[in-house]
Amino acid sequence: MTKADIAEKIQTTTGLSKKDSAALMESVFAIMKESLEAGETIKISGFGVFEPKQKNARRGRNPQTGEAITIEARKVITFKPSNVLKDAINK
């Protein structure tokens, strides 16, 4: 499913124009992105939790050469689906 598909579903569900549906979707995504960049957790009831986490630097290796390398510390986003979503998917 693409952004265009989501905007179309918003349009058919709410009756908003295509332009307004796309703007609404982009606004929601922008708010979520800003919150995650700020290190905030996003909890959506009945859907799940988006949480930024810090991964420490670690040793790894180049699979082609076998050479040892250091993988830099970085932030990642994890998603944990709610039980409601898990149940709906597994019906």
Side-chain angles (χ1 to χ4, degrees):
M1 180 172 256
T2 64
K3 281 182 165 183
D5 296 333
I6 295 170
E8 187 176 322
K9 291 222 182 228
I10 291 171
Q11 178 189 8
T12 56
T13 305
T14 64
L16 293 172
S17 70
K18 200 171 199 174
K19 183 178 179 181
D20 290 341
S21 298
L24 174 68
M25 178 194 60
E26 289 295 337
S27 296
V28 170
F29 288 157
I31 291 167
M32 290 176 71
K33 180 181 173 189
E34 289 169 7
S35 297
L36 291 168
E37 285 174 348
E40 299 175 25
T41 298
I42 299 173
K43 296 178 185 178
I44 303 172
S45 180
F47 188 73
V49 177
F50 294 91
E51 184 176 17
K53 291 189 176 184
Q54 180 69 38
K55 290 189 91 170
N56 295 326
R58 60 189 169 93
R59 298 208 28 102
R61 67 174 190 86
N62 181 333
Q64 288 184 330
T65 64
E67 176 186 353
I69 60 171
T70 300
I71 300 171
E72 304 273 331
R74 64 190 190 277
K75 289 184 180 178
V76 296
I77 298 171
T78 61
F79 174 72
K80 183 175 183 216
S82 73
N83 289 333
V84 174
L85 180 60
K86 285 181 192 177
D87 293 342
I89 289 172
N90 290 312
K91 275 190 174 178

